[in-house]
Amino acid sequence: MKLADYDSQRIEAKWQKVWDEQGAFHAEDGDASRPKYYLLEMLPYPSGTLHMGHMRNYTIGDAVARYKWMCGYNVLHPMGWDAFGLPAENAAIKNGTHPRDWTKANIQEFRRVLKRFGFSYDWRREISTCEPEYYKWNQWFFLRMIEKGIAYRKKSKVNWCPDCLTVLANEQVIDGFCWRHETTQVEQKELEQWFLRITQYSDELLEDMAQLASGWPERVLVMQRNWIGKSQGTRVRFDVAGISGASLEVFTTRVDTIYGASAIVVAAGHPQLDKLLEGVPGRTTMASQLKAMRQKSMRAADIATAEKEGFFTGRFAVNPFSGEQVPIWVANFVLAEYGTGAVMCVPAHDQRDYEFADKYGLPVKIVVQPAQGVPLRADRMSEAYTEHGRLADSGPYSGLTTEQALAKMTADAAAKKFGTGETTYRLKDWGVSRQRYWGTPIPVIYCEKDGMVPVPDDQLPVRLPEQLAIATAGQSPLASVPEFVNTKCPKCGGPARRETDTMDTFVDSSWYFYRYTDPHNFKAPYDQTKAGYWFPIDQYVGGITHAILHLLYSRFFCKVMRDLGLVKHDEPIARLFTQGMVQKGGVAMSKSRGNVVGAIDMADKYGCDTGRLYTLFAAPPEKDLEWSEQAIEGSSRFLNRAYRLVEKHAERVRSIPIEWNALTDLAKATAKEKILIRRTHQTLKRVTNDFEVRWHFNTSIALIMELVNELHAQEPLDQEVSPTILKRVLAVMVLMLSPMTPHIAEEMWEMLGNSGTISRQKWPAYREDLTREEQIEIIIQINGRLRGKILVDENLTEDETRDRALNDPRIAPLLVGKEIVKVIVVPKKLVNIVLR
RNA sequence: GCGGAAGUGGCGGAAUCGGCAGACGCGCCAGCCUUAGGAGCUGGUGGCCGAAAGGCCGUAGGGGUUCGAGUCCCUUCUUCCGCACCA
């Protein structure tokens, strides 16, 4: 039974009510009197229960937001709900509840938990993406994108998840499996779909990363760069021998190696394959081989390690540079979707080609020699030479460097009209059609007479029908709601049908942070002046899991908005922080694993301040954190210890006005006071630094713990410590804690006799002169090994320091009979005596 | 295979610019207080030798630079993450 614990439940409820009544965290639009700071945590998908993994994310954001408030910033710190999505619909099917009811109940619960933790959100700005007031603007943006040619419709092969019963974006396919169903293989289906032309911005998305280099984690940028996958090369046309007019195009980044090509290899899914195989002997065997190849696992990890397999088609192609005829093969290692779906096989200078040639006995012809060293010989090669070098056996290009040849051969190919320089990207347009109910209806109408007609702005929003519709195989749920589907053509007034697909929910989250700047605007997605004031987001905090999807789409949306004249900046997020996961038993907390620590349970047992403190203390925020039920006791203990300290001395200092700026005259201070004053300023200096540049709250907390320990060590504090000094020290201690554990800090602030909430107090400034010790400890080393320590005056000269060290009674005997080679003196730090 | 991050006591972690390795906390040990302790307080706690003073070893392994390396360089290993037959 714990007896001495402070009453966290009462205190937390008390101060949450005060903040709420005061509107303590209301952001003021357009306030020019102070700097603005837009701090955002990724909006949650309201499903399941909030656990300490979520709370860590919000606690980090909240500590920074509160710190910025105290530093005088106008802080925008909002919260909302990513409320559309499949789980709501699946729960609806399972339990017979409407997705709206399910979602609303979850939102209510999430809001309750976040409020229970006392996060400093401006709740007036709360948004929910499933409300018509919000998704109306999804539709509005969609219409603008149609006008700009960014949203378009095409029939294409799409990723289809048979469990989700919907199409997935490329970004939602992981190794050929559905991102939500790890064991469900994604199928390919031909469907008429809406796409957003993100590829139009490929280069810009790539180039503008330069603006993010200082504020975003390197690895997120690397992942995005790889995802965009820009590759510069040459497209070259090979004529097919014996079929007049037939040709194959290959894409290569190493056209300089083309004289070494010993085959053309096409993907099993290459569209021209059937034509090529016409009239070739052995076609039936080939057809079955092809079929087998096409059915092979699409799992990337399998593909990468799979044995290379292929067969000769019986056809030959003509190398346009050399005129040489090379065989045309089909192989499993060529991707139909990338480049042209066909490659030239250069065994000497490409590792995959080397392995393929090795297996099937294709010739290895060296056409690039290393610039230095022993020339390569085909009969002594064990792997491909893929470095740059100097061309050999390459007709007129022999002797050129790789760089020269790439430029010249590409130019020559273009001049002779059998090739062209080309840039390819891995990034594909973003397929946004979803055959599900719980999403934003795509605002388009199909009329027999007028074809596709965008819904006019004044008819927005196109509301989801209240009647729940459930997906049947291959058909959108909305198609089964006649009241929704049947409508009039906005152009001719004749009968027409609505688009029944809904939008990918990543559309919702691609621009939601703009809506926070003007959440109740009925005329526009947001007011440009308001968004202009708040943007860009100064600090975004969220999980690394969104490194590609959400963060790339958001950047894309921003650029579209800019081109629509809605914003002036290129990038929406100036700084990104990706916090580590909270794990239990070595794996991330998740409901399905059953290893969650519920946020409410935590708050009920220890109080939310203890939960907040522990998540900040147990590890630096970017690292994964292993949850420990034992270690959390330490955080609880510390808060109690600090509370008792304040409780004990509050009476004595309560009526003393806090004069933080009053001059502290160390000369008049007692020894105890000197220690406390210096320790306070040293702590404040380092904690301030941690908040400003490092975000290592774990070390901040450790320092505050040390300060509290020091206060205990200096007991009795009612002797030799004036109430004025004690009050200042305790006040600073409480102020430093307040961004991290705000409720107990408010309570202690009040106990110390202060008025007004601590949350709006000014962050105290440390005084450099008060951080300095009178005497500095100098380390004395002999040959780099610690041999002694001396205390010296701060302003001791280098020579004096050296003499003190050499004559130190502990050191001097060790020097007898040795030759002093050198003495290194690092002022205010150490002396190293080098002996022979 | 390519790219990125990391590897420090029994555990989480600290060491911010190349200068005392292990701050702070957990756990553990001893003591105080107590009818009681899952409360509080005090002290101890990297390993080895030693009664102590003190000494030696120690930041995944090996090598190097330096008066001095957890920190910089080379190299090997391990773990995690991302991408993955991208031509």
Side-chain angles (χ1 to χ4, degrees), chain A residues 335-346:
Chain A
L335 304 174
E337 317 81 53
Y338 184 80
T340 59
V343 301
M344 59 185 202
C345 174
V346 185

Side-chain angles (χ1 to χ4, degrees), chain A residues 356-371:
Chain A
F356 190 68
D358 196 44
K359 179 167 177 181
Y360 291 104
L362 293 167
V364 178
K365 192 178 160 194
I366 293 165
V367 291
V368 177
Q369 288 288 1

Side-chain angles (χ1 to χ4, degrees), chain A residues 179-192:
Chain A
W179 66 314
R180 304 205 78 98
H181 301 96
E182 287 172 25
T183 55
T184 305
Q185 252 195 41
V186 171
E187 297 167 3
Q188 300 294 303
K189 240 182 165 177
E190 273 266 294
L191 282 175
E192 186 95 9

Side-chain angles (χ1 to χ4, degrees), chain A residues 612-620 625 631 634-635 697-702 705:
Chain A
R612 294 169 61 124
L613 187 75
Y614 176 71
T615 56
L616 294 174
F617 178 60
L625 181 162
S635 296
F697 309 109
N698 55 328
T699 55
S700 296
I701 293 165
M705 285 173 170

